[in-house]
Amino acid sequence: MPSFDVRFIKTVCDDTGGEHRACQAAFTVDAASLSAAAQKAETDFCRQKRVRDWTIFADVLELRTPPA
């Protein structure tokens, strides 16, 4: 089963108005497909943060296949 590196990213502004990407969580998910990995990552993230909607903490979910 393939593994995917997952990062939940939030874009935040600094005191000068510049935008920066802040990683809210990063972990590896084993799943059969990219869509299954995204779904599992969302579920795991919500469970860890004890929320129903991961978009409270992050703007985007990044999925990557780890380097060989």
Side-chain angles (χ1 to χ4, degrees), residues 2-3 9 12-13 26 31 47 50 58-59 63 68:
S3 292
I9 305 294
V12 295
C13 292
R47 188 175 299 123
R50 295 187 174 125
D59 299 321
L63 290 165

Side-chain angles (χ1 to χ4, degrees), residues 11 58-59 62 68:
T11 302
D59 299 321
E62 292 181 349

Side-chain angles (χ1 to χ4, degrees), residues 23-44:
C23 182
Q24 301 300 306
F27 49 92
T28 301
V29 172
D30 294 327
S33 67
L34 189 63
S35 61
Q39 192 170 38
K40 185 172 185 338
E42 290 172 6
T43 301
D44 290 349

Side-chain angles (χ1 to χ4, degrees), residues 2-62:
S3 292
F4 298 89
D5 289 335
V6 181
R7 292 184 351 147
F8 288 85
I9 305 294
K10 179 79 172 177
T11 302
V12 295
C13 292
D14 62 18
D15 57 347
T16 64
E19 291 186 347
H20 303 278
R21 294 167 39 97
C23 182
Q24 301 300 306
F27 49 92
T28 301
V29 172
D30 294 327
S33 67
L34 189 63
S35 61
Q39 192 170 38
K40 185 172 185 338
E42 290 172 6
T43 301
D44 290 349
F45 183 84
C46 289
R47 188 175 299 123
Q48 289 174 14
K49 298 290 187 183
R50 295 187 174 125
V51 295
R52 289 189 174 156
D53 183 5
W54 64 270
T55 60
I56 293 170
F57 285 95
D59 299 321
V60 67
L61 165 73
E62 292 181 349

